[in-house]
């Protein structure tokens, strides 16, 4: 049985969604250490292969962007975000959808 490699379920993108060119992508090639925020030229995000969400993580936090949130849900108070070990669920707080 083939082991599903984690990098097949996401792609690396910049904040605007444009792809980060990394030809030799492998499971251990994501780490970049910046000791000063000024060193980072552009933020790199991991985007799920279905385009539903993207995330950035560091030693002090996790930032998640829901990319398929309907435009009518304009306020963050309209959303319910549930982050678990194996999934992230973003839904309409009132309807649960």
């Amino acid at each position: 049985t083939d082991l599903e490699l984690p990098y097949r379920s996401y792609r690396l993108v910049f904040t605007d969604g444009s792809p980060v060119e990394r030809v030799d992508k492998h499971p251990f090639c994501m780490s970049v250490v910046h000791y000063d925020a000024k060193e980072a030229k552009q933020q790199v995000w991991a985007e799920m292969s279905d385009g539903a969400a993207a995330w950035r993580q560091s030693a002090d936090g996790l930032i998640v962007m829901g990319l398929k949130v309907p435009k009518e849900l304009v306020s963050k108070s309209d959303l319910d975000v549930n982050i678990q070990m194996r999934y992230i669920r973003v839904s309409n707080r009132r309807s649960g959808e």
Side-chain angles (χ1 to χ4, degrees):
T1 306
D2 288 337
L3 177 65
E4 178 71 23
L5 295 175
Y7 68 82
R8 290 187 180 152
S9 62
Y10 67 84
R11 66 188 192 113
L12 300 177
V13 297
F14 292 113
T15 304
D16 66 0
S18 62
V20 174
E21 295 298 326
R22 292 199 179 157
V23 177
D24 298 325
K25 189 166 70 166
H26 57 82
F28 305 105
C29 194
M30 281 190 67
S31 298
V32 176
V33 176
H34 295 288
Y35 295 102
D36 186 340
K38 295 174 191 162
E39 293 177 10
K41 293 178 178 59
Q42 286 193 352
Q43 292 184 345
V44 175
W45 296 77
E47 181 180 289
M48 297 305 300
S49 58
D50 67 357
W55 77 93
R56 290 179 46 81
Q57 63 190 65
S58 66
D60 68 347
L62 172 70
I63 301 170
V64 178
M65 284 192 300
L67 301 175
K68 292 187 175 181
V69 177
K71 292 183 191 236
E72 60 269 11
L73 299 176
V74 294
S75 171
K76 61 184 173 185
S77 64
D78 292 335
L79 301 176
D80 183 35
V81 180
N82 185 354
I83 300 174
Q84 296 295 321
M85 183 70 95
R86 298 195 179 271
Y87 69 87
I88 297 171
R89 182 171 191 262
V90 179
S91 59
N92 182 319
R93 187 178 300 273
R94 287 180 281 256
S95 71
E97 293 179 8

